[in-house]
Amino acid sequence: MLFLKRKLKKFLYTRAVRSFMSASSVELQTQSEQKAIAAFDAAYQRSPPYRAHLQKTGFQNTPIRNIEDFKKYVPVSTKDMIYGNTSWISKHLPLEPSPSFLLSSGSSGIFSFGIHSQHHINQQTEFLNALFSHYFHILDQKTLIINCLGQAVRLPALDAAIIETGPRTDALLYILEKLSPQFEQTILVGDNYFVKNSLEDGLNRGIPLSRLCLQLILGGVYLPETLRTYLAELLNNKTYNGLILSSMGISEFGLNLFVETPETITLRQWAEKNPVLSQKIFGDAAPFTPMFFNYFPQAFYIEEVHGEIVITNLNTQALLPLIRYNAGDKGRSIPYEDLKHVDLGEIDMATLRPPFKSPLVLIYGKNEYVETPNKIKIYPQQVQKGLYEHIGTASLTTGYFRLNTNNGMSLQIQLKQGIQPNEAVTQQFRQAILQNINVDIPLILYPYHLFPYGMGLDYERKFKYL
């Protein structure tokens, strides 16, 4: 009976994924635009807090008949507008059935949250199960999923064994050593830095990571390709055939708003190696390569407004309607049709196009940088790429650093426990980082416990680089 149930699930998931892939880009975009208008209408009719928000922005009750009206008249909202005053919750939020809250990291200085009904959670669970079945074959292989996410973020009930550890290295290494060998594959979900540092500790403990068939789903911060390559080296120093994917969630919308696929990774890696052609496709040259993501237009309508990504939740039953919400991430939205007509000469663009025909979303992240006296901008993403440029230096740092502008500019890097700074190590880091930031600034390496921005690593909060 259990076998038949899994066969049925696999059939349904496969059919769902195929339907996602077979939908044309024009059809997807049209449906998403229509749903965006319906989501606005539902929010206006059903949500007193949203109507109050519209009044504050000066909205004149203009009829929204098409997507042009939607973009012209519906105001863009921001985190402080929605979450600056939360007194509306007690007045308008239904107590039955009990809603579920997903809290943000608060790294921007303002906490935000998503409010999800059980029906919405069930839909998200089925969606994630379909993706996990497609990319990780969890219905065909005995799979263990280890959730190392912080902030008490729990994974939904997926079709695999799940163990929740939070960002605890000792717990993770125990599981990798004792439980993972009993499964055909292990999927590790966690913060980039926690995963990197924990895997290094595991290797130092003698855990044979290359025998565990480890797959990684990372998130929370920018993932440079140098770190992806380094992690693959940690998992198998010869050939790593597993997946190392990044997923971008925004607590207001859920854990999986934007997702990498093997195809978007290949396209990103190609763009990084071919900056001239990349500029031809994706626009002005950037100081660092953005993340390349797919998303599902059936659930979200995505716009690019003044170089920032604006999101509309298309769920007309949403407990907290978020219409044209700007979470503060710089980015671009590239129509799928634009990718179809690119001529790359000898390179077959068809092999680089994602299978899901949604617009390709490029995420640069928050607009954070420091500026030298000569007006040269240095971005944290440039430093992140340099940290993992060479295997010899990647293993020496926790990944935490600070671009300090007090009393002159300097780059301060935290070393791992037991590593002491010396001139040779400093020069290794300088060489790796300078080729990415193209400006010479003082570099200071700190022993682990002497790093001035915390006595130890706290994976419950995002690192602050500025």
Side-chain angles (χ1 to χ4, degrees):
M1 186 68 179
L2 182 60
F3 172 78
L4 292 177
K5 185 177 180 180
R6 292 179 74 85
K7 290 282 286 186
L8 177 60
K9 281 187 174 183
K10 183 178 178 180
F11 169 77
L12 294 175
Y13 295 157
T14 300
R15 186 174 67 176
V17 170
R18 283 177 178 170
S19 70
F20 292 152
M21 291 183 176
S22 63
S24 75
S25 58
V26 175
E27 177 186 358
L28 285 174
Q29 189 65 16
T30 300
Q31 290 177 353
S32 196
E33 292 172 352
Q34 293 171 344
K35 287 186 175 183
I37 297 169
F40 168 78
D41 289 340
Y44 186 81
Q45 297 296 329
R46 296 177 52 249
S47 175
Y50 185 66
R51 285 199 301 273
H53 165 66
L54 288 176
Q55 291 175 355
K56 290 179 182 178
T57 63
F59 180 72
Q60 299 297 317
N61 298 336
T62 306
I64 306 301
R65 300 185 178 89
N66 51 50
I67 198 63
E68 287 73 25
D69 290 344
F70 179 85
K71 292 180 177 180
K72 183 176 181 179
Y73 298 115
V74 177
V76 172
S77 58
T78 60
K79 185 177 292 189
D80 57 337
M81 290 179 185
I82 302 296
Y83 299 96
N85 181 351
T86 56
S87 61
W88 53 267
I89 293 178
S90 61
K91 297 178 182 178
H92 302 290
L93 189 68
L95 298 179
E96 294 294 342
S98 300
S100 176
F101 287 77
L102 180 60
L103 190 66
S104 74
S105 67
S107 59
S108 67
I110 300 176
F111 280 100
S112 56
F113 49 83
I115 309 177
H116 307 292
S117 67
Q118 188 58 51
H119 176 70
H120 174 73
I121 293 172
N122 292 342
Q123 286 183 321
Q124 287 291 301
T125 300
E126 289 302 298
F127 170 72
L128 285 177
N129 269 322
L131 287 185
F132 271 74
S133 176
H134 178 70
Y135 285 114
F136 299 106
H137 311 290
I138 61 174
L139 290 173
D140 299 317
Q141 299 183 52
K142 191 177 180 182
T143 301
L144 175 64
I145 300 175
I146 308 175
N147 176 15
C148 301
L149 295 171
Q151 301 169 228
V153 175
R154 298 180 65 86
L155 294 180
L158 299 172
D159 293 319
I162 299 178
I163 187 164
E164 313 269 356
T165 67
R168 279 189 57 179
T169 295
D170 57 346
L172 171 60
L173 296 187
Y174 175 85
I175 294 166
L176 292 179
E177 190 171 26
K178 303 296 184 181
L179 296 185
S180 288
Q182 302 176 49
F183 290 81
E184 293 177 81
Q185 68 172 339
T186 296
I187 302 173
L188 180 55
V189 183
D191 167 89
N192 297 4
Y193 303 119
F194 171 78
V195 171
K196 176 255 184 196
N197 292 323
S198 296
L199 293 180
E200 289 170 340
D201 291 350
L203 285 174
N204 291 334
R205 245 172 71 166
I207 299 176
L209 299 180
S210 61
R211 301 179 188 174
L212 299 181
C213 191
L214 273 175
Q215 318 260 21
L216 305 182
I217 300 178
L218 307 174
V221 292
Y222 177 81
L223 175 66
E225 288 301 321
T226 52
L227 178 54
R228 197 194 312 266
T229 300
Y230 175 69
L231 291 172
E233 288 281 344
L234 292 181
L235 296 179
N236 191 329
N237 56 18
K238 294 181 180 178
T239 304
Y240 178 67
N241 295 319
L243 289 177
I244 301 177
L245 302 179
S246 186
S247 170
M248 179 178 172
I250 297 177
S251 61
E252 295 92 311
F253 298 98
L255 287 177
N256 296 90
L257 175 58
F258 300 120
V259 295
E260 281 189 321
T261 68
E263 293 81 9
T264 64
I265 294 170
T266 301
L267 183 58
R268 185 185 189 223
Q269 292 169 341
W270 170 88
E272 192 163 81
K273 294 175 183 177
N274 299 269
V276 176
L277 289 176
S278 176
Q279 184 178 355
K280 174 183 174 182
I281 302 173
F282 304 118
D284 295 339
F288 57 89
T289 306
M291 301 297 299
F292 283 41
F293 287 120
N294 262 157
Y295 73 97
F296 290 87
Q298 300 93 330
F300 303 101
Y301 178 62
I302 304 296
E303 303 171 69
E304 177 191 335
V305 179
H306 304 306
E308 296 186 318
I309 296 300
V310 171
I311 309 162
T312 295
N313 184 356
L314 301 183
N315 179 10
T316 57
Q317 302 299 314
L319 298 178
L320 174 58
L322 291 174
I323 311 295
R324 304 200 79 201
Y325 182 80
N326 184 350
D329 287 297
K330 293 288 183 181
R332 292 200 60 207
S333 178
I334 312 293
Y336 186 87
E337 292 298 311
D338 288 6
L339 298 179
K340 288 176 63 175
H341 302 296
V342 173
D343 181 10
L344 299 181
E346 297 179 358
I347 302 173
D348 183 4
M349 188 62 189
T351 64
L352 298 178
R353 286 197 301 269
F356 300 106
K357 300 178 183 63
S358 71
L360 184 71
V361 177
L362 312 185
I363 297 291
Y364 293 89
K366 308 302 180 186
N367 191 30
E368 297 179 330
Y369 59 86
V370 296
E371 197 168 63
T372 70
N374 296 329
K375 304 300 181 182
I376 298 175
K377 295 177 181 178
I378 304 175
Y379 294 83
Q381 293 90 338
Q382 294 171 295
V383 178
Q384 288 169 318
K385 179 183 178 183
L387 286 180
Y388 310 107
E389 198 78 54
H390 303 300
I391 293 177
T393 53
S395 62
L396 303 180
T397 175
T398 64
Y400 201 178
F401 63 87
R402 186 69 64 97
L403 284 163
N404 189 355
T405 55
N406 296 328
N407 301 318
M409 185 176 294
S410 64
L411 172 59
Q412 301 169 312
I413 299 175
Q414 184 185 42
L415 298 177
K416 293 197 74 171
Q417 292 192 60
I419 305 296
Q420 293 298 318
N422 58 53
E423 185 59 29
V425 172
T426 301
Q427 284 303 114
Q428 284 180 313
F429 274 105
R430 184 182 303 279
Q431 181 181 1
I433 291 171
L434 287 185
Q435 67 187 53
N436 289 285
I437 65 175
N438 296 317
V439 59
D440 192 2
I441 64 173
L443 177 64
I444 305 173
L445 303 182
Y446 283 93
Y448 181 80
H449 287 298
L450 295 182
F451 190 61
Y453 307 101
M455 288 296 293
L457 293 177
D458 181 1
Y459 297 110
E460 293 286 357
R461 293 176 175 84
K462 290 183 179 180
F463 292 174
K464 290 185 176 295
Y465 305 113
L466 307 181

